């Protein structure tokens, strides 16, 4: 694996990883906004 | 193995490890946070929840209690607003004494000209102070809501119109079924951090609080008095939760089989124990209006609410009337 390919793959994985974390945080925030206390208790145990 | 091959393998491992780190982080975030907020209620449960569209007045399919009253209000109709938990009741008042064309709902919200509005407790208290609502139906106002009224020079008149219980809820899997009021205060002050200290298992306690200004939060602050409330990080991340709300909201409007209401001091909140005050945290809910409101129909409507027929609506809507 040459340097160019390695750094390209490193960049792709990092970008995808950060994007997935950001998407999850946004989804969580949106769900939290509309979540009733009842659903929260039911889900959390 | 050649040095080149070793370097290649190390780089592949680095890339795989990085990808795995992101995947594990995502799984942890999902497990600790995201999945708690997913609405898993069945369609049947959702249909029983607080849906304005299914509790509208003058609608044949509405879930509200419909009482036929001959004498309808006319002229300047008071604009009504209030808490989510009380919506079916004040919608039923409108259905009983308002003319049909007084309510206008566009499928999502009430239009500006509608005599019935719904902005929940926080919005409703602001509306009655700002003069955009004439009567709001809520639990006691928070300190901030009273201060807002004072700043605006508004004196709020609060007329008790029924009783409701303030209840504590946990997940059905939690073995605890009963707490004393002292234990509840201990949980919310941070004195008790594990369920084992109040008769449960060894898990941490997550003492969930509600939004500032909501009816439930104001009632809880009043229950706690001068004792500050505390929520531990360990409990929030890993613990079993406890929360609070009004009985009607839990048992009628947010039906969820995975949640149970706790008895307090050995008394379960039902209509009988609320009316007899045997259940320790029963409180009034109110019709609230600006004392300087000059709309004559405000008094007329409140007199109707306090009458036998009005109290019948309170009872049939699932609350405890004043005279029970």
């Amino acid at each position: 694996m040459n340097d160019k390919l390695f750094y390209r793959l490193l960049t792709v994985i990092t970008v995808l990883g950060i994007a997935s974390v950001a998407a999850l945080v946004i989804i969580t925030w949106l769900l939290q906004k509309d979540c009733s206390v009842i659903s929260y208790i039911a889900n959390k145990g | 193995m050649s040095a080149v091959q070793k370097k290649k393998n190390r780089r592949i491992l680095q890339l795989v490890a990085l990808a795995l780190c992101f995947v594990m982080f995502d799984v942890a975030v999902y497990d600790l946070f995201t999945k708690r907020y997913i609405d898993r209620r069945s369609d049947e449960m959702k249909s029983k929840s607080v849906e304005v569209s299914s509790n509208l007045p003058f609608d044949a399919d509405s879930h509200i209690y419909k009482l036929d009253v001959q004498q309808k209000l006319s002229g300047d109709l008071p604009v009504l607003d209030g808490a989510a938990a009380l919506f079916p009741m004040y919608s039923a008042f409108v259905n009983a004494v308002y003319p049909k064309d007084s309510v206008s709902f566009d499928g999502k919200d009430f239009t500006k000209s509608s005599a019935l509005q719904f902005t929940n407790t926080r919005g409703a208290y602001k509306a009655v102070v700002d003069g955009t609502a004439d009567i709001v139906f809520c639990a006691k106002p928070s300190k901030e809501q009273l201060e807002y009224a004072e700043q605006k020079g508004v004196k709020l008149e609060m007329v008790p119109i029924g009783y409701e219980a303030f209840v504590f809820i946990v997940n059905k899997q939690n073995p605890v079924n009963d707490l004393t009021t002292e234990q509840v205060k201990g949980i919310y002050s941070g004195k008790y951090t594990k369920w084992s200290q109040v008769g449960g298992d060894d898990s941490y306690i997550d003492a969930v609080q509600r939004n500032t200004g909501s009816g439930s939060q104001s009632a809880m602050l009043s229950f706690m008095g001068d004792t500050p409330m505390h929520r531990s990080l360990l409990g929030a991340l890993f613990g079993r939760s406890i929360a609070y709300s009004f009985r009607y909201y839990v048992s009628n409007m947010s039906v969820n089989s995975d949640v149970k209401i706790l008895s307090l001091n050995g008394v379960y909140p039902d209509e009988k124990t609320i009316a007899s005050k045997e259940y320790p945290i029963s409180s009034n809910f109110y019709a609230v209006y600006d004392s300087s409101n000059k709309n004559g129909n405000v008094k007329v409507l409140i007199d109707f609410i306090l009458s036998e027929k009005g109290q019948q609506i309170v009872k049939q809507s699932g609350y405890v009337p004043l005279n029970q």
Side-chain angles (χ1 to χ4, degrees):
Chain A
M1 185 182 287
N2 62 33
D3 282 356
K4 195 177 169 189
L5 177 61
F6 173 70
Y7 287 115
R8 190 172 284 176
L9 286 171
L10 193 67
T11 306
V12 168
I13 291 171
T14 305
V15 168
L16 286 176
I18 290 171
S20 69
V21 172
L24 199 56
V25 168
I26 291 168
I27 290 167
T28 305
W29 179 73
L30 289 172
L31 286 171
Q32 179 266 336
K33 258 183 25 171
D34 294 329
C35 178
S36 73
V37 71
I38 314 284
S39 288
Y40 183 84
I41 297 284
N43 289 339
K44 196 174 173 219
Chain B
M1 193 183 291
S2 69
V4 174
Q5 187 62 39
K6 273 186 183 171
K7 188 180 175 188
K8 184 182 171 188
N9 288 348
R10 196 175 64 241
R11 285 188 159 180
I12 290 172
L13 268 176
Q14 285 170 341
L15 293 174
V16 170
L18 180 66
L20 272 176
C21 279
F22 278 119
V23 170
M24 282 162 62
F25 188 76
D26 284 348
V27 169
V29 169
Y30 177 81
D31 199 56
L32 279 174
F33 302 105
T34 315
K35 77 173 185 186
R36 293 177 189 179
Y37 302 117
I38 295 171
D39 189 348
R40 294 207 182 95
R41 291 170 303 159
S42 66
D43 288 343
E44 187 198 347
M45 287 170 179
K46 283 178 185 170
S47 74
K48 291 177 182 172
S49 296
V50 55
E51 297 289 349
V52 169
S53 56
S54 56
N55 287 285
L56 289 171
F58 318 119
D59 176 1
D61 299 326
S62 177
H63 297 162
I64 62 169
Y65 174 68
K66 299 179 186 87
L67 182 72
D68 191 26
V69 176
Q70 295 301 317
Q71 193 69 37
K72 303 282 181 193
L73 289 179
S74 59
D76 191 3
L77 297 168
V79 175
L80 310 186
D81 199 339
L86 297 171
F87 182 77
M89 181 192 69
Y90 57 88
S91 177
F93 292 146
V94 170
N95 189 78
V97 294
Y98 276 53
K100 263 189 180 176
D101 58 2
S102 60
V103 174
S104 164
F105 185 72
D106 66 10
K108 205 174 168 197
D109 294 303
F110 291 103
T111 62
K112 274 193 173 175
S113 63
S114 174
L116 179 62
Q117 298 287 333
F118 170 61
T119 59
N120 219 333
T121 301
R122 284 190 290 180
Y125 269 115
K126 186 172 185 310
V128 74
V129 171
D130 292 347
T132 54
D134 293 298
I135 307 176
V136 298
F137 298 89
C138 296
K140 271 184 186 168
S142 66
K143 199 174 138 218
E144 291 75 21
Q145 283 153 351
L146 285 173
E147 281 171 359
Y148 182 67
E150 204 178 316
Q151 276 170 22
K152 296 273 180 174
V154 171
K155 185 177 178 295
L156 295 176
E157 285 293 336
M158 298 179 52
V159 182
I161 58 170
Y163 289 107
E164 179 57 317
F166 189 59
V167 300
F168 293 89
I169 52 174
V170 295
N171 189 283
K172 272 205 170 155
Q173 290 172 2
N174 191 324
V176 171
N177 292 309
D178 177 74
L179 290 172
T180 65
T181 46
E182 185 277 330
Q183 285 173 327
V184 172
K185 281 189 177 173
I187 286 171
Y188 275 95
S189 67
K191 180 181 169 189
Y192 302 124
T193 54
K194 287 198 156 187
W195 282 104
S196 56
Q197 295 170 293
V198 291
D201 60 21
D202 198 40
S203 52
Y204 284 101
I205 299 175
D206 177 19
V208 178
Q209 296 186 34
R210 309 294 301 278
N211 294 330
T212 308
S214 69
S216 303
Q217 187 66 7
S218 301
M220 186 62 187
L221 288 170
S222 166
F223 169 70
M224 291 296 285
D226 294 332
T227 313
M229 286 165 72
H230 174 82
R231 185 181 187 187
S232 83
L233 184 64
L234 277 175
L237 288 176
F238 308 111
R240 281 184 189 275
S241 303
I242 179 170
Y244 42 83
S245 188
F246 288 97
R247 178 194 66 117
Y248 185 79
Y249 187 77
V250 178
S251 55
N252 292 60
M253 295 172 74
S254 277
V255 182
N256 194 314
S257 58
D258 293 327
V259 170
K260 65 180 175 185
I261 295 176
L262 297 177
S263 58
L264 273 190
N265 299 345
V267 181
Y268 190 81
D270 56 32
E271 280 191 29
K272 201 174 141 215
T273 58
I274 296 168
S276 67
K277 307 266 172 65
E278 212 181 324
Y279 182 75
I281 326 180
S282 303
S283 60
N284 284 119
F285 51 89
Y286 301 87
V288 184
Y289 64 96
D290 177 348
S291 63
S292 66
N293 192 315
K294 293 195 167 47
N295 185 336
N297 275 332
V298 168
K299 276 287 284 170
V300 175
L301 180 60
I302 287 178
D303 286 345
F304 167 76
I305 293 168
L306 296 174
S307 72
E308 199 180 319
K309 283 186 174 171
Q311 289 292 293
Q312 189 181 333
I313 290 176
V314 171
K315 184 177 169 64
Q316 295 300 328
S317 298
Y319 300 93
V320 180
L322 291 173
N323 53 5
Q324 183 159 315

